[in-house]
Amino acid sequence: MNASQPTVNTIVESVGLTKIFRDFWMRTKATAVDGISFQIQKGELFGLLGPNGSGKSTTIKLILGLLNKTRGRLTVFGREPHDVSVKRFIGFLPEESYLYPYLNCNETLDYYGRLYGITRKIRKRRTEELLEMVGLTQVAHRHVGEFSKGMMRRIGLAQALINDPEFLILDEPTNGLDPIGTRQVKDLLIELKRRGKTILLSSHLLSDVEDVCDRMTILYGGKIHAEGTADELLVDTDRTIIRIPRIRNDDTISKIEQILQQEEGTSIESVEQPRQNLESFFIEIVDRAREAKIETSGVKGGTTAPFLKGDEEGDVLIDKLIDHAVPSEIASVEPTNEQSQHQDEEKEVLKTLLKADEVEEKAKEASTKQEVSERTDATVIDSLLHDQEDEHPQDNK
Amino acid sequence: MTSILSIHRKLQYWQEKRNARLLLTAILSIAVLALLIPTLFSTYQLYETREEIFTVLIGPDSRIAAEQIEETGFLTLHGKDIGDVRLKGFKFLDEEGRVINPADATSLLIRSSIPRWIPTWLLRDPNLIWIGGSLALGWCISSVWLGLFFPFLYSILLGTTSWFVFRALGLPDVSLVIVGMCILGYSYHLILQIFRFLLRSPRQVPAIARGVLLEATRTRMSIAFLTILLIALPLIPIMLDPESPLRHRVQTMLSRSLGMTFVIAALLTVFLGCATVAFEIRDRQIWQVLTKPVSKLGYLFGKWLGIVSLNFAILTIAGLSVFMYLQYMRTAPVAEGLQGELDRLAVEEEILTAREETLPIYETLTNEQISFRVDELIEADSELRDIDQIQVQLRQKLREEVQEEFLDMQRAIPANIDGEAFSHSYTFKGLKQAKKLGTPLTFKYKFYIGAADEQETYEAGFVYNGDLNTRHKVTYVPTMTHVTMVPAYLIDDNGELTITIYNLLQPDPNYYYKGTMRFDKDGIQLLYRVGNFESNFFRALLVLLIKLSFLAALAIAASTFLSFPVACMITLTVFASGTLSPYLSQSLEYYFPPSTSDFDFSNIGITIQWAFEHTVHAIASAMVFCLSGFGSQRPTNELVNGMLVSWGTVLQGFLTIGVIWSGAVLGAGTLILKKRQLAIYSGKG
């Protein structure tokens, strides 16, 4: 494998993986993972579910090489987990964020960025974008040791993404986050998946996993007890739900029941109005408050960092296409009508190039439980990037 | 207060701009050059005068010149009188009319012409001003371009204000201390910034090293040690006894300042080295690091590099401050009269210098002679004579004793018998360089005689190369070290010098002791200058850095598998054992656990004692064997005695301690870390 992007399709493969913890006298203390076999394919969002003590975190630590397996086979990007070269493509958020308390946010991301060999300019840009995304820009110069749990999770998430990883491992990522933060994380995961990233999500919060995962596996006592897609595992094939606008006439319901009895020999089990889930309702309230610009001292997260949407290289290209004036100069000059019109036209061009609207729409669709579109149309920027990549390997890979 | 902070922030923002930095660079450069150029001019003038005086004193008119100095205390050069009236009557010529020590005579003459603010050592090499000026300029420019101009300015302002305030209050020593703290504190900060700049590469090892530097400046433990050093170091000068001779003050200053710096740096190295890995393993920050593309070796090496950089900064700051203060001490007031001048001369020639020592060549017995004497001993001993076959070990022991006895005989000179003084001649070889340099040699001696009573004085005589015209009587106190100067011209063309020592004691026949004068293997030495103090000082600091580097490697390796307190304890034990290994080695020569063959094991108490003593002996021997290389490198000791710390010593230390030992220890730590499972079973998932 060279230093550029990995070419394997199976990111993680485990066959009969077992981990036994022993004491000093080599007696078995606990069998954390017992003969599990699974695969995580490229571009997949894979969920690892299970109650506390089921072996989720141990499995993740085995994948990362923080523990040695007792038996079985485990490969990551086709190599041993201890291989340092594969770590370049991995981002990891542990169940608690173990960061240096004496570093501030900027320094923390800068430090981990250096460990990935990311150059200064890119590191600086990504740090700004990630802090904006996780809503920590205002506290960028505060030491991490002073942070609350939620803020620690946010900065932990940011450090896991600093290298724009091909394989992202998240252990309880929404732990300590409010519903807005949880929603943002889910949107981010969907965005990353859209870009072809592979994600391993471990959680005991079932709704988190259900909303976003393609496939999931359920562990208990170190063994796999169920594995499959959400539909395979959860769809009740013995029931049918029909969504229609509200029926105001009770007779209509009776007529429907009659048809059912005639055609299917069955009857209506219940008639009720659908309920929005509490998370969506909560988000609606907050969004409305934001639009009304009500003051808050809480964390204000931003949209997904541009480099995570694949726009980093696009920014560079756009810089070349459009003259970039100093922001203070722009702020100090009131545009004339002609200039305003020109700027509006430029924005339109940008929108077309970036197709930002499409991305936002997709995220909204996903949050209302519709399937994410599997459109794979490359944007203009993406296609340009592919051409660029062929000529010039990126220096951060 | 808010407005002051606001102004400060604006100034900080202003100095980030390129134009501001260029302007500040220009201003500081002009200021430094304005100080440098007049200094350089004055120094070159004095240097030329010094060279002219020296030429006169070794030229054909040297005798006339020396006689003038003896009569008046002055030498006339280009119509100008140079010298001091206190030099009148001082002996510059020997019996043959040659100037005894032209170099020292020149220094004495020119002393009064030198402004107090110019150090004497600059007269030997004024080009050093260029180096000093460049360093000062580099210091100022670094401050500007690393964004530290205003901290630099505040330090200067604080130091200057303290200087004038405390001097006005009649506390000049306190003013010096405060200024010292300001300069040290700021310089330390600057050097760390420079290191962070040098380690800016986006690679794993420099990134981790940089992280260690940040940890050192932001964690309480490190800050405590650094604060102690930066406060205590400037306090040492005010603790010196102003009444004691200058040479003693200089030696005390050197010994205490470097000693304290090394100890504090060593403690900081141990604690920070153990903490930086042990705490990361305990608090799991290592998970976040080792799940990045960082190898175990890279991780440990980065930690090591960070601590070594920190030690480099500490030694640089401490070394520069000690060095600068020593230059100041060189111009410090001494006792009135000739004694004071000799005191100052002793500082230049015996302490702030780099000397090599040479021991005399003793005769040794040939194998045949030794065998013959051993046979004689066996024959003379009735018990040994009757044994059919003497064991090999016993014969070897007898051979060693015979050789040792022969050497001891050469180091013993009997007392007078019937008016005839006994003597022995000792030849020193390898002195060609000393002859070439022409500076006087120091003959150092320590004799024992009779009951070795320190209240008594005795006499001895020295003759050089068998020439009775060079005879010269000295008075000595037993067990104390004495020195006498030997002119370099006495060394022959082969680089050899023979010193005949006479025992001039005439013992009272009623006393039971026989008055034989003895000395140890290193009881007589010839010391000669081979280099200057500045480069010697630099080499000494390098050796200290090498020792600290090993300590850092040990601390880091220990903490890969031990908890913080245990790792500290092990590392400190090894450090103490290594430092004390020379003394431990000497003690072991006198520590004799009972041998197995002589022992009665039926007594349990004595058996336990036997086992204990043998265990202690075994552990101590192992420590000496493993760590003697560490303890034998004692550069502070060498500096205090004006002895050479050679490049050979530095290289040997670098290869042995710096590369092999440190590499082995870091390698072991890497293997341990590779085997270790860092993510313990938490039972949570």
Side-chain angles (χ1 to χ4, degrees):
Chain A
M1 193 192 303
N2 59 23
S4 57
Q5 290 185 5
T7 53
V8 291
N9 286 324
T10 303
I11 303 298
V12 176
E13 185 173 10
S14 151
V15 178
L17 183 64
T18 303
K19 176 62 188 171
I20 300 172
F21 288 98
R22 300 183 194 278
D23 62 14
F24 180 78
W25 307 107
M26 301 307 287
R27 294 177 301 192
T28 300
K29 242 171 43 173
T31 304
V33 174
D34 192 359
I36 63 171
S37 301
F38 65 92
Q39 286 184 351
I40 303 176
Q41 302 296 333
K42 189 174 176 180
E44 202 171 39
L45 211 162
F46 190 86
L48 200 57
L49 284 176
N52 292 341
S54 58
K56 304 191 300 296
S57 292
T58 304
T59 304
I60 286 172
K61 288 166 190 171
L62 287 166
I63 290 171
L64 289 164
L66 292 173
L67 289 173
N68 300 328
K69 62 184 190 306
T70 306
R71 278 193 301 275
R73 191 167 154 268
L74 178 65
T75 58
V76 181
F77 288 102
R79 295 193 165 206
E80 286 294 311
H82 292 283
D83 194 326
V84 171
S85 58
V86 302
K87 305 280 171 66
R88 192 176 297 281
F89 310 110
I90 298 176
F92 171 50
L93 173 66
E95 55 189 317
E96 298 286 336
S97 295
Y98 306 116
L99 302 170
Y100 295 101
Y102 51 84
L103 297 181
N104 61 34
C105 294
N106 277 332
E107 289 165 345
T108 298
L109 296 182
D110 186 73
Y111 176 67
Y112 290 117
R114 284 170 191 271
L115 293 182
Y116 281 111
I118 301 172
T119 58
R120 183 176 169 270
K121 196 173 172 191
I122 295 174
R123 224 166 48 228
K124 194 166 182 289
R125 192 201 298 255
R126 288 188 182 181
T127 298
E128 285 167 6
E129 290 174 6
L130 283 169
L131 290 179
E132 177 68 34
M133 183 185 85
V134 298
L136 293 177
T137 307
Q138 299 300 320
V139 294
H141 294 287
R142 267 175 66 188
H143 288 174
V144 167
E146 299 169 17
F147 280 6
S148 66
K149 186 174 181 183
M151 292 162 85
M152 291 280 273
R153 294 306 279 158
R154 288 168 189 275
I155 188 66
L157 181 63
Q159 68 80 31
L161 296 167
I162 188 70
N163 64 322
D164 193 15
E166 289 304 310
F167 180 34
L168 183 62
I169 300 174
L170 304 172
D171 196 349
E172 315 281 357
T174 56
N175 189 9
L177 296 183
D178 60 21
I180 302 295
T182 302
R183 184 72 259 157
Q184 285 167 351
V185 168
K186 288 182 190 174
D187 292 342
L188 170 66
L189 296 181
I190 291 162
E191 178 59 38
L192 290 172
K193 185 174 159 334
R194 184 194 71 81
R195 281 193 63 215
K197 306 296 185 186
T198 309
I199 302 167
L200 169 59
L201 172 63
S202 165
S203 180
H204 60 264
L205 299 178
L206 305 178
S207 58
D208 289 353
V209 177
E210 187 182 353
D211 284 349
V212 297
C213 287
D214 299 323
R215 283 198 307 129
M216 59 195 81
T217 193
I218 299 175
L219 294 179
Y220 184 82
K223 291 187 197 292
I224 294 178
H225 285 262
E227 186 177 353
T229 64
D231 283 345
E232 286 167 8
L233 296 177
L234 301 175
V235 163
D236 182 355
T237 53
D238 294 332
R239 296 277 181 282
T240 301
I241 295 174
I242 300 171
R243 279 189 186 277
I244 50 174
R246 184 178 175 175
I247 296 174
R248 298 184 190 277
N249 189 346
D250 289 342
D251 290 338
T252 309
I253 295 175
S254 308
K255 288 176 187 170
I256 293 170
E257 189 161 20
Q258 281 174 6
I259 294 169
L260 284 172
Q261 279 176 342
Q262 283 170 7
E263 299 295 325
E264 297 288 332
T266 183
S267 57
I268 295 173
E269 288 182 359
S270 66
V271 175
E272 54 195 53
Q273 287 174 314
R275 237 163 63 130
Q276 189 182 22
N277 70 26
L278 184 58
E279 181 184 331
S280 307
F281 179 68
F282 181 92
I283 290 169
E284 256 179 53
I285 298 292
V286 171
D287 285 343
R288 257 188 259 144
R290 279 183 182 162
E291 279 166 22
K293 293 191 185 353
I294 294 172
E295 285 292 319
T296 174
S297 59
V299 171
K300 295 170 197 148
T303 52
T304 303
F307 81 90
L308 292 171
K309 291 195 275 191
D311 291 349
E312 178 168 63
E313 293 76 19
D315 283 342
V316 172
L317 191 58
I318 287 163
D319 284 347
K320 288 177 188 171
L321 292 173
I322 303 168
D323 285 336
H324 213 72
V326 174
S328 58
E329 289 173 19
I330 291 175
S332 66
V333 173
E334 285 183 5
T336 59
N337 284 340
E338 214 174 277
Q339 281 175 336
S340 297
Q341 197 179 357
H342 184 60
Q343 280 174 8
D344 289 340
E345 283 171 2
E346 282 181 352
K347 280 179 191 169
E348 284 305 312
V349 168
L350 279 172
K351 273 190 191 168
T352 312
L353 287 171
L354 293 173
K355 293 193 180 173
D357 290 340
E358 266 191 45
V359 169
E360 284 176 17
E361 228 179 279
K362 276 192 186 165
K364 279 186 188 163
E365 283 171 5
S367 69
T368 54
K369 294 188 186 181
Q370 290 181 17
E371 270 189 51
V372 175
S373 166
E374 290 187 3
R375 282 179 53 183
T376 55
D377 292 343
T379 62
V380 170
I381 300 299
D382 279 349
S383 61
L384 286 168
L385 286 174
H386 283 305
D387 291 338
Q388 265 195 325
E389 270 170 31
D390 289 339
E391 290 171 30
H392 304 292
Q394 295 161 16
D395 63 349
N396 58 322
K397 293 283 185 231
Chain B
M1 188 66 182
T2 319
S3 56
I4 293 171
L5 282 172
S6 163
I7 293 168
H8 171 73
R9 273 193 220 109
K10 283 182 183 163
L11 288 171
Q12 279 287 117
Y13 178 72
W14 173 75
Q15 70 145 359
E16 295 290 325
K17 295 185 181 173
R18 194 182 171 84
N19 290 341
R21 288 181 174 183
L22 287 169
L23 176 66
L24 290 170
T25 304
I27 292 170
L28 287 171
S29 302
I30 291 167
V32 169
L33 286 171
L35 284 170
L36 180 68
I37 292 171
T39 310
L40 202 58
F41 184 68
S42 303
T43 309
Y44 269 112
Q45 267 192 326
L46 282 165
Y47 181 75
E48 278 169 17
T49 307
R50 187 183 192 280
E51 292 298 300
E52 282 178 19
I53 294 172
F54 186 72
T55 307
V56 165
L57 290 177
I58 59 173
D61 297 328
S62 59
R63 186 178 180 146
I64 300 167
E67 282 170 355
Q68 184 194 352
I69 299 167
E70 284 182 17
E71 283 167 23
T72 63
F74 291 90
L75 174 68
T76 306
L77 201 65
H78 302 305
K80 191 180 166 194
D81 286 337
I82 300 169
D84 195 313
V85 67
R86 290 176 297 175
L87 296 174
K88 188 177 168 183
F90 186 62
K91 192 168 167 47
F92 277 91
L93 290 168
D94 61 16
E95 281 85 6
E96 292 179 17
R98 288 181 295 205
V99 179
I100 294 171
N101 191 342
D104 289 347
T106 307
S107 298
L108 285 171
L109 278 169
I110 204 156
R111 167 60 55 194
S112 57
S113 308
I114 301 172
R116 281 179 65 85
W117 54 272
I118 293 183
T120 324
W121 55 274
L122 274 178
L123 297 182
R124 292 200 188 98
D125 191 1
N127 290 327
L128 286 172
I129 288 185
W130 286 111
I131 297 172
S134 306
L135 280 174
L137 194 60
W139 194 64
C140 294
I141 293 174
S142 304
S143 302
V144 170
W145 288 91
L146 289 172
L148 294 176
F149 175 73
F150 285 102
F152 166 67
L153 192 63
Y154 301 151
S155 303
I156 299 280
L157 285 172
L158 180 64
T160 312
T161 311
S162 308
W163 177 269
F164 286 114
V165 164
F166 284 102
R167 281 199 166 253
L169 291 172
L171 299 166
D173 288 339
V174 176
S175 67
L176 204 61
V177 169
I178 302 288
V179 167
M181 285 183 196
C182 291
I183 295 174
L184 276 183
Y186 173 73
S187 301
Y188 173 73
H189 187 46
L190 175 65
I191 289 186
L192 281 189
Q193 279 293 101
I194 291 171
F195 267 112
R196 293 223 288 261
F197 175 76
L198 292 173
L199 294 168
R200 69 191 184 284
S201 168
R203 294 278 178 264
Q204 292 80 21
V205 169
I208 292 171
R210 211 165 179 269
V212 172
L213 289 179
L214 278 172
E215 186 179 353
T217 51
R218 294 188 188 177
T219 52
R220 279 182 217 150
M221 178 174 60
S222 308
I223 290 171
F225 280 110
L226 291 164
T227 307
I228 290 171
L229 180 67
L230 295 176
I231 290 174
L233 205 54
L235 287 175
I236 290 176
I238 63 173
M239 293 193 289
L240 299 173
D241 178 9
E243 303 303 321
S244 66
L246 182 63
R247 76 189 80 171
H248 294 160
R249 279 185 276 152
V250 168
Q251 285 182 309
T252 307
M253 172 67 190
L254 254 180
S255 172
R256 284 188 192 169
S257 55
L258 285 185
M260 188 189 69
T261 301
F262 182 69
V263 167
I264 292 179
L267 289 173
L268 175 62
T269 301
V270 170
F271 287 118
L272 182 61
C274 292
T276 193
V277 175
F279 287 167
E280 283 196 19
I281 292 175
R282 183 196 67 185
D283 298 337
R284 303 179 186 181
Q285 283 123 3
I286 200 170
W287 293 11
Q288 304 259 203
V289 175
L290 292 182
T291 49
K292 310 283 187 278
V294 178
S295 63
K296 306 289 194 305
L297 178 62
Y299 174 72
L300 294 181
F301 188 72
K303 292 290 187 188
W304 178 83
L305 184 63
I307 297 177
V308 168
S309 306
L310 184 68
N311 283 330
F312 188 96
I314 291 173
L315 286 176
T316 303
I317 296 301
L320 275 174
S321 66
V322 169
F323 184 80
M324 296 310 292
Y325 191 76
L326 283 173
Q327 304 318 311
Y328 168 77
M329 283 183 88
R330 265 170 151 154
T331 59
V334 289
E336 289 294 323
L338 202 59
Q339 199 58 36
E341 292 306 318
L342 290 174
D343 188 18
R344 201 189 292 285
L345 211 59
V347 167
E348 297 296 327
E349 297 298 326
E350 293 176 27
I351 301 163
L352 299 184
T353 182
R355 301 179 298 177
E356 261 202 13
E357 65 177 16
T358 182
L359 297 176
I361 308 294
Y362 294 106
E363 289 174 26
T364 52
L365 293 170
T366 61
N367 276 331
E368 290 76 21
Q369 287 171 322
I370 293 174
S371 297
F372 181 73
R373 292 201 186 192
V374 166
D375 289 337
E376 276 187 341
L377 273 175
I378 292 169
E379 197 56 42
D381 189 316
S382 56
E383 280 186 21
L384 291 174
R385 191 176 49 217
D386 293 337
I387 297 172
D388 289 334
Q389 195 175 351
I390 308 293
Q391 290 174 7
V392 172
Q393 292 94 332
L394 180 61
R395 270 200 95 84
Q396 183 59 30
K397 197 172 168 197
L398 286 171
R399 289 173 71 88
E400 284 169 11
E401 280 179 13
V402 161
Q403 185 72 282
E404 197 61 37
E405 198 183 322
F406 184 68
L407 288 171
D408 283 343
M409 269 173 52
Q410 293 176 74
R411 293 195 297 266
I413 305 170
N416 255 312
I417 292 178
D418 298 331
E420 187 183 342
F422 276 90
S423 67
H424 197 104
S425 293
Y426 303 94
T427 303
F428 296 83
K429 294 186 178 178
L431 298 171
K432 278 187 179 170
Q433 194 182 3
K435 186 176 176 69
K436 190 177 162 190
L437 287 168
T439 50
L441 294 83
T442 304
F443 180 50
K444 195 166 137 189
Y445 54 93
K446 185 162 83 173
F447 299 141
Y448 301 92
I449 190 165
D453 185 354
E454 290 174 16
Q455 307 300 320
E456 300 285 333
T457 58
Y458 298 87
E459 287 181 337
F462 300 137
V463 170
Y464 304 108
N465 292 334
D467 180 359
L468 286 175
N469 291 326
T470 63
R471 67 182 178 278
H472 145 73
K473 190 163 72 174
V474 295
T475 307
Y476 65 92
V477 176
T479 74
M480 290 186 70
T481 303
H482 300 265
V483 297
T484 189
M485 306 306 287
V486 179
Y489 65 77
L490 290 175
I491 302 170
D492 66 20
D493 294 334
N494 294 326
E496 293 181 12
L497 175 68
T498 302
I499 302 177
T500 308
I501 301 176
Y502 287 82
N503 185 352
L504 299 178
L505 174 69
Q506 291 179 342
D508 189 325
N510 293 326
Y511 285 119
Y512 66 89
Y513 67 87
K514 294 184 183 156
T516 301
M517 187 168 77
R518 299 176 195 279
F519 51 90
D520 297 329
K521 284 180 200 171
D522 57 355
I524 56 171
Q525 298 172 0
L526 263 183
L527 307 167
Y528 55 95
R529 185 192 180 105
V530 292
N532 58 37
F533 173 72
E534 292 74 36
S535 46
N536 211 33
F537 187 78
F538 173 69
R539 286 190 294 268
L541 289 179
L542 279 180
V543 173
L544 290 178
L545 181 65
I546 289 167
K547 291 175 84 169
L548 289 171
S549 306
F550 168 69
L551 206 58
L554 187 64
I556 287 167
S559 52
T560 56
F561 65 101
L562 296 169
S563 64
F564 172 72
V566 178
C568 287
M569 191 184 74
I570 300 288
T571 311
L572 284 171
T573 303
V574 172
F575 172 59
S577 306
T579 305
L580 296 172
S581 61
Y583 307 107
L584 196 56
S585 172
Q586 278 179 9
S587 302
L588 277 174
E589 287 178 17
Y590 301 101
Y591 184 69
F592 302 107
S595 68
T596 314
S597 57
D598 298 336
F599 212 73
D600 173 22
F601 286 98
S602 59
N603 186 319
I604 293 176
I606 294 178
T607 305
I608 292 172
Q609 185 190 352
W610 174 92
F612 177 75
E613 287 182 10
H614 270 274
T615 305
V616 165
H617 190 271
I619 292 172
S621 301
M623 278 185 167
V624 168
F625 177 76
C626 294
L627 298 171
S628 59
F630 186 86
S632 62
Q633 299 262 5
R634 297 158 72 185
T636 304
N637 219 39
E638 306 293 335
L639 272 185
V640 167
N641 291 316
M643 301 304 293
L644 175 72
V645 178
S646 65
W647 280 115
T649 305
V650 175
L651 189 63
Q652 186 197 4
F654 173 71
L655 289 173
T656 318
I657 301 174
V659 174
I660 297 172
W661 288 17
S662 301
V665 160
L666 275 180
T670 304
L671 285 173
I672 293 168
L673 198 59
K674 277 187 175 174
K675 290 290 177 197
R676 202 173 162 182
Q677 298 187 86
L678 294 167
I680 57 169
Y681 176 64
S682 66
K684 288 183 188 171

